[in-house]
Amino acid sequence: MTAKDNAHVHNGKTAAGILSYEPDVGQIPEIWTILGQGSTKTSEVTTLSGEVSKLRYFDEERGFSVFDVIVSLPEDISGTTVTAVGPLPGVTGGMEVRLSGDFRNHPRFGVQFRFGSGMQVPPSSGRGIMAFLSSGAVEGVGKILARRLFDHFGEGLRLALDTGPEKLTSCPGIGSGRAAAIWKAWKKGIEAREAVIVLCDMGLLPAQASRIAGLWGASAPSIVASDPWSLQRHLRGYGFKSADRVASRIGTDPLAPARLKAAVAHALAGAQDSGHMFLREDVLLESASGLVDLTPRQVVPGLEALVSAGEVVREDRAGEGAVVYASGAHQAELGAAVGLAALCSGAPAPIPVVACPGESDLAPSQMEALRTLCSFPVSILTGGPGTGKTTVVGRLMTICRKSGIRVSLAAPTGRAAMRMREASGVEALTLHRLLEYNPATDRFVRGPDNPLEADWVVVDESSMIDMFMFHALVAAIRPGTRLTLVGDADQLPPVGPGDPFREAIRSGSVPVARLTQVFRQGDGSSIVSAAHEIMAGRVPSSDRSSGSDPGDFHVVFRESAEEAADLAVALVTERIPARFGLDPRQDIQVLAPMKKGSCGTDELNERIRRRLNPGVDDELAAQTPFLPGDRVMQTRNNYDLDVFNGDIGTVAGPSGDNGLLVRFDRRIVRIPAADMDDLCQAFAVTVHKSQGSEFPAVVVCMHNQHFVMLRRNLLYTAVTRGRRVVVLVGSRKAIGMAAGNTMEEGRNTLLASRLRECRQP
């Protein structure tokens, strides 16, 4: 039985799989006496062994199973039938299993054995093997043939299958060809299952072991034993420490070359995850040695091996000493510098601003910015909210239309591209669409050999672009094509490594048009005023509008984290909808600096979800992470589905194949079960995740418990996400600390200095 065979309750509460069966009444009294009536959970982990008699439910994508087991161990319940629930893929009737968990009395389904880990063991009894063969687990053997084999060999069936084809031909009706096929299929299945058992003994979880055995077959244990750290490339969420535990368990030499290389590579990858393009060699060795409890000197051979293999690049830089890049990061930074310098050296003819009548209505600062953009092959337009960046870009589009200039507009995210399209009246694409990303090859179609067919490329929200994307963009622009980067240099740096937008500004090699005069303030936008107050280092004040006008920016101080969280929930679910007529499920976004804590996104999400989604209850929430009505965010670019990191949608319902139907803007996307891990609840999200997005209303929750993240650019970014109303909730100390803290965690990148070097005559 698969998940798609399970019905869903008609009232909208998905009741898939585990909620759709009833326990056998006859089994309960036998176990009940062991637990004691009224008990819900034993305090001790139990190892249970037995033979699977019935598979009740199996979620193919997640490896989650519900099945009945005829118990052989522990002896005090031997012979009883127990319903087991847990993460074990590939369960079939007749299979023997070994499970670790505890008995629980479910209020609806009765006594169950809930296990956290388990493994399959090939059956040994004749009847067990017959049941196993009858399940179709061995290709070419069905129920009739399984019964015939058992009737002929009895309890010797396992020996006959292990012996070889000749033995099987003694069974009436089985010729040599069929016997060879049965034996080959049996042997292959047994080898795979034995590989899973060995991998589990090495420390992998059953689902992980099944995946690796499926990938490498019978040789999986030997491959893992030679390099446990290779598991990181094939198991999502499987890190260095997990692989290192496997290595320790199987007795790997602490100084094994594979271990030293993996430690150095992991330290470098961790730095990249934190936004760095490189690490100084001494810092890298110190970090890697801490991972493996060795001295930095002992780790040097691992670094040297990676350098020799070309997997990392070591470079001596004046003022930096020896620095080490992952080879891809080095290629991206160097290629971005060379490519951008080449574009800066291009000589397209200046475009006269007077080509468009009516520029006189622009402010002098905007006119000067427009002249800068039209005078240089590469330029940057930056400024805070309300300073007129959109106005300048719109006028630039008018000039290009009148001059016959082909323009390509792009932005890092779908929402930013949509806003750009609405503001300019010109089609705008995400950068991935502009560069024509091909998920099959993991490459962009557009590049040096197939450049963009445009005379001018304009990219909005450029502060969000990391080094890898920036390199791909620059590489796809042919010499002579103009490039204009538009963005707010005071916002947070990109989530990915590097900081090319600000590095290009710092380099002094690219002309910068900086807008500082605030225009939207005159239209009554206190959100804009608050943003500029924050950038001046001051805690912004609430809008003092009249009673008939609720204003659009408010600060509410709550010194208690619990009280701040309570107010944030009330603002989303009651106060803002009542005062502004906004939809709490679609129009209001909660932002917080971190996931953890009572004011973090995890707890806020759960509280708001229970208020706004009537389909949530404890029982359903425990069984499935997403329910119809949930607000969700995509956390990884998925080019096959055409959904991208930061896209927000609403769960429309189950897809019928264990997946979800999610409405993103005007379209419904079918999310397969395998890709559901890329979704997260999004009633509340971190400020970093909100980059590039704007919302009608924003509630920012900020407290002392977030002190490690409290910086001016984070507060500024959060406040500037709101269009119509922003409410800042938190303690005075936290908000004051954020407004006053200009310290930024510097990113290790040399793009600015490389640009200057490339531009030197």
Side-chain angles (χ1 to χ4, degrees):
M1 184 177 183
T2 65
K4 67 178 64 179
D5 297 318
N6 286 280
H8 295 273
V9 177
H10 67 275
N11 65 5
K13 293 185 179 181
T14 53
I18 186 171
L19 301 182
S20 64
Y21 76 92
E22 296 293 341
D24 293 336
V25 176
Q27 78 184 46
I28 293 178
E30 298 171 294
I31 305 301
W32 194 263
T33 57
I34 299 171
L35 288 175
Q37 291 198 14
S39 173
T40 58
K41 180 179 177 180
T42 61
S43 59
E44 185 176 328
V45 174
T46 299
T47 298
L48 183 148
S49 297
E51 181 181 301
V52 177
S53 61
K54 179 181 180 182
L55 176 64
R56 292 179 175 272
Y57 168 75
F58 176 48
D59 183 329
E60 185 175 0
E61 296 290 348
R62 299 186 178 192
F64 182 87
S65 301
V66 181
F67 52 91
D68 289 349
V69 179
I70 302 172
V71 179
S72 57
L73 291 173
E75 291 184 357
D76 55 352
I77 58 171
S78 177
T80 62
T81 298
V82 171
T83 297
V85 181
L88 187 60
V91 175
T92 57
M95 177 64 70
E96 293 182 10
V97 293
R98 188 161 72 243
L99 314 171
S100 294
D102 52 42
F103 287 103
R104 303 188 192 184
N105 179 28
H106 191 282
R108 180 178 174 189
F109 304 120
V111 178
Q112 302 171 329
F113 187 77
R114 295 291 184 109
F115 62 92
S117 64
M119 65 174 63
Q120 304 169 17
V121 182
S124 55
S125 71
R127 288 193 176 275
I129 293 176
M130 181 184 70
F132 175 65
L133 295 176
S134 297
S135 70
V138 174
E139 187 177 354
V141 181
K143 291 183 179 181
I144 295 176
L145 185 54
R147 165 60 69 177
R148 185 187 303 167
L149 287 167
F150 175 70
D151 288 344
H152 182 75
F153 292 108
E155 291 301 317
L157 179 54
R158 171 68 188 263
L159 178 61
L161 289 166
D162 288 341
T163 299
E166 297 81 7
K167 184 72 172 177
L168 295 176
T169 56
S170 66
C171 179
I174 297 182
S176 58
R178 196 172 195 184
I182 293 171
W183 178 78
K184 184 177 180 180
W186 167 262
K187 186 172 183 293
K188 181 180 179 181
I190 290 298
E191 287 176 345
R193 290 176 180 84
E194 288 175 346
V196 169
I197 293 171
V198 173
L199 290 170
C200 286
D201 286 340
M202 294 168 77
L204 274 69
L205 296 175
Q208 296 169 338
S210 295
R211 176 173 174 79
I212 294 302
L215 184 66
W216 293 328
S219 59
S222 61
I223 294 174
V224 172
S226 64
D227 184 3
W229 302 275
S230 62
L231 292 169
Q232 298 174 85
R233 297 191 293 271
H234 303 286
L235 295 175
R236 181 180 294 185
Y238 199 85
F240 177 87
K241 288 293 186 182
S242 298
D244 211 44
R245 282 193 292 270
V246 170
S248 176
R249 190 164 180 168
I250 62 178
T252 301
D253 184 351
L255 295 175
R259 184 172 190 245
L260 302 182
K261 288 169 58 180
V264 173
H266 184 74
L268 206 51
Q272 195 165 293
D273 289 341
S274 298
H276 301 300
M277 296 300 296
F278 67 84
L279 284 179
R280 288 203 330 260
E281 182 175 5
D282 57 336
V283 174
L284 173 60
L285 292 174
E286 187 71 34
S287 177
S289 64
L291 287 170
V292 290
D293 198 23
L294 297 171
T295 67
R297 183 179 295 275
Q298 288 175 301
V299 178
V300 169
L303 173 59
E304 298 297 340
L306 290 172
V307 171
S308 297
E311 295 180 44
V312 304
V313 175
R314 182 167 50 201
E315 186 178 353
D316 288 318
R317 298 285 300 183
E320 295 286 344
V323 299
V324 181
Y325 290 78
S327 58
H330 185 264
Q331 180 183 2
E333 186 177 271
L334 185 59
V338 172
L340 189 59
L343 292 176
C344 289
S345 300
I351 300 170
V353 175
V354 293
C356 174
E359 274 80 13
S360 59
D361 63 339
L362 294 180
S365 60
Q366 293 174 316
M367 279 294 295
E368 186 59 34
L370 198 56
R371 290 192 185 97
T372 299
L373 305 189
C374 291
S375 300
F376 297 95
V378 178
S379 57
I380 291 174
L381 175 63
T382 188
T387 56
K389 296 190 299 295
T390 300
T391 300
V392 172
V393 171
R395 192 55 55 84
L396 184 63
M397 295 303 98
T398 304
I399 292 174
C400 290
R401 278 197 300 270
K402 290 184 174 293
S403 303
I405 296 171
R406 298 174 299 170
V407 182
S408 288
L409 298 184
T413 68
R415 285 184 169 231
M418 184 185 303
R419 288 201 314 274
M420 199 179 193
R421 180 167 58 248
E422 291 170 351
S424 67
V426 177
E427 179 65 22
L429 305 174
T430 63
L431 285 171
H432 283 87
R433 285 186 180 176
L434 177 71
L435 303 180
E436 299 177 28
Y437 179 79
N438 184 344
T441 61
D442 193 28
R443 294 181 180 276
F444 294 106
V445 173
R446 296 292 182 177
D449 298 328
N450 184 26
L452 294 169
E453 297 173 359
D455 303 314
W456 201 328
V457 177
V458 180
V459 183
D460 198 11
E461 296 285 359
S462 294
S463 64
M464 294 181 62
I465 304 174
D466 66 28
M467 193 66 74
F468 291 99
M469 177 56 74
F470 189 70
H471 176 224
L473 171 66
V474 170
I477 300 175
R478 60 188 172 193
T481 298
R482 294 175 184 272
L483 171 64
T484 295
L485 303 173
V486 183
D488 188 341
D490 294 321
Q491 288 190 20
L492 289 169
V495 175
D499 195 2
F501 183 65
R502 274 165 282 264
E503 282 288 287
I505 294 174
R506 293 187 192 108
S507 72
S509 301
V510 180
V512 178
R514 190 183 297 273
L515 299 172
T516 57
Q517 182 180 353
V518 178
F519 298 97
R520 206 190 311 163
Q521 207 167 7
D523 297 331
S525 174
S526 57
I527 297 174
V528 172
S529 302
H532 287 276
E533 285 288 296
I534 291 168
M535 290 313 299
R538 295 185 289 268
V539 175
S541 300
S542 293
D543 188 347
R544 302 300 181 187
S545 300
S546 65
S548 60
D549 179 3
D552 56 12
F553 180 81
H554 304 273
V555 180
V556 185
F557 295 114
R558 290 290 186 271
E559 301 309 312
S560 161
E562 289 70 25
E563 289 180 0
D566 289 344
L567 179 56
V569 174
L571 284 165
V572 174
T573 59
E574 301 169 10
R575 299 190 186 183
I576 292 178
R579 193 78 180 271
F580 294 89
L582 296 174
D583 182 348
R585 297 172 182 81
Q586 302 293 332
D587 299 332
I588 308 173
Q589 183 62 59
V590 176
L591 303 178
M594 299 171 64
K595 294 181 179 180
K596 303 302 179 185
S598 54
C599 286
T601 61
D602 287 349
E603 288 199 27
L604 289 171
N605 254 318
E606 187 60 27
R607 293 185 60 184
I608 297 170
R609 181 193 189 204
R610 289 177 181 273
R611 292 286 298 275
L612 295 183
N613 188 352
V616 176
D617 61 38
D618 291 336
E619 192 169 284
L620 282 173
Q623 303 301 335
T624 179
F626 305 108
L627 293 169
D630 281 350
R631 182 178 170 94
V632 294
M633 174 181 278
Q634 177 76 10
T635 62
R636 184 179 65 90
N637 291 337
N638 190 319
Y639 311 104
D640 291 328
L641 301 178
D642 200 27
V643 290
F644 300 92
N645 187 8
D647 285 353
I648 292 178
T650 303
V651 176
S655 65
D657 56 357
N658 263 359
L660 289 177
L661 297 176
V662 179
R663 182 183 297 279
F664 290 100
D665 295 320
R666 299 179 182 87
R667 66 193 184 98
I668 291 182
V669 178
R670 186 183 299 274
I671 307 291
D675 293 322
M676 283 170 54
D677 287 343
D678 297 332
L679 295 175
C680 69
Q681 293 290 344
F683 293 104
V685 300
T686 63
V687 180
H688 284 83
K689 281 292 184 184
S690 73
Q691 290 184 79
S693 296
E694 286 186 355
F695 310 93
V698 164
V699 175
V700 183
C701 195
M702 190 166 284
H703 197 267
N704 305 346
Q705 60 186 211
H706 304 142
F707 75 96
V708 295
M709 297 290 291
L710 298 178
R711 293 181 176 82
R712 182 179 297 173
N713 60 358
L714 182 135
L715 177 57
Y716 173 81
T717 301
V719 167
T720 55
R721 298 308 90 203
R723 291 196 302 270
R724 183 174 169 187
V725 60
V726 173
V727 182
L728 176 56
V729 179
S731 65
R732 291 180 183 273
K733 182 178 180 180
I735 296 172
M737 184 185 301
N741 185 5
T742 59
M743 294 290 293
E744 294 186 29
E745 294 183 4
R747 295 195 167 192
N748 294 343
T749 173
L750 297 173
L751 180 63
S753 60
R754 293 187 193 278
L755 265 173
R756 287 191 289 268
E757 292 167 5
C758 291
R759 294 283 286 156
Q760 288 176 354

